[in-house]
Amino acid sequence: MVQATEIENIESINRSNICKGNKKITKIFTSQNLKYLNGNYYGVFLKNKYDYSIKLNFDNNFLNYVEIQDNALHVGIRNNSRKIILHISCQDIYNDISFCHSNKILFDNANQLKNLKKICSSNVISKNIPKTSYLPDIVVEYLYINGINIQFLKDLFQYQKIITNGIVDTF
């Protein structure tokens, strides 16, 4: 398998916008690339006042880390590009590396495209998504629609809360 470069992934994001107008919502994964994950996978959620970039780094189907950046965040220092609100290694969450395998973290959402189009035009939120102070519910919904398991999201946000004592901060 050929690993895409970071520039190719960013160009792919620009071509794969699901929404119309000034909103930008992209797929992070497709059914085809769920079979073998290696490298960086990006997602963009830009809607209304929300502007988030998501990066998941995989090595041979094992998740290395998740990084979420709030591009609308004003962090006090002029032109500060460090707006990462979450950067967590999967092995920090789970002692057993087998829990970091893609089949434990991701699922193939057959309704992914339909659901992504739905959040382009509305703020429909599933009752099952975990609540967190780090991200708006609609962004957590976006992660779930892109195939990230609810249990992994819960574990991710719980770990983030533990390491930051519940304080939202940038890295």
Side-chain angles (χ1 to χ4, degrees):
M1 280 242 138
V2 176
Q3 182 177 341
T5 67
E6 199 158 329
I7 291 170
E8 288 169 337
N9 280 322
I10 291 168
E11 288 172 355
S12 174
I13 286 169
N14 291 329
R15 288 190 306 271
S16 63
N17 185 20
I18 304 295
C19 301
K20 293 182 168 73
N22 61 354
K23 301 170 189 162
K24 184 178 266 191
I25 295 176
T26 63
K27 290 182 181 182
I28 299 174
F29 304 103
T30 64
S31 295
Q32 291 146 339
N33 67 12
L34 278 178
K35 295 175 184 139
Y36 180 74
L37 297 169
N38 197 36
N40 294 318
Y41 296 84
Y42 297 93
V44 173
F45 185 92
L46 172 62
K47 180 180 174 186
N48 302 331
K49 62 183 177 183
Y50 304 122
D51 184 359
Y52 288 87
S53 301
I54 290 86
K55 177 180 174 182
L56 291 98
N57 178 271
F58 283 87
D59 185 13
N60 293 318
N61 283 330
F62 284 89
L63 178 65
N64 288 323
Y65 63 87
V66 175
E67 183 176 287
I68 299 176
Q69 182 170 314
D70 182 348
N71 300 309
L73 185 66
H74 302 288
V75 288
I77 300 171
R78 181 180 241 176
N79 298 324
N80 188 346
S81 62
R82 303 293 293 171
K83 298 178 180 184
I84 298 168
I85 57 169
L86 188 143
H87 182 97
I88 295 179
S89 164
C90 187
Q91 283 190 276
D92 288 347
I93 300 170
Y94 303 118
N95 292 329
D96 184 350
I97 193 170
S98 69
F99 287 110
C100 295
H101 194 274
S102 61
N103 65 4
K104 302 274 188 190
I105 292 170
L106 305 173
F107 71 98
D108 188 5
N109 183 355
N111 296 318
Q112 179 189 33
L113 184 59
K114 182 177 102 178
N115 292 341
L116 285 172
K117 286 181 179 181
K118 190 182 293 184
I119 64 171
C120 285
S121 58
S122 69
N123 289 329
V124 177
I125 307 291
S126 168
K127 291 183 249 177
N128 298 329
I129 65 159
K131 304 293 182 194
T132 178
S133 59
Y134 302 100
L135 295 170
D137 291 346
I138 192 75
V139 177
V140 178
E141 179 81 7
Y142 165 76
L143 295 171
Y144 172 68
I145 289 170
N146 269 290
I148 300 175
N149 285 329
I150 296 258
Q151 187 58 53
F152 177 73
L153 290 170
K154 286 179 182 177
D155 294 343
L156 177 70
F157 299 142
Q158 181 62 34
Y159 183 78
Q160 178 76 358
K161 185 175 180 181
I162 290 168
I163 64 171
T164 63
N165 293 318
I167 299 169
V168 178
D169 200 359
T170 60
F171 294 89

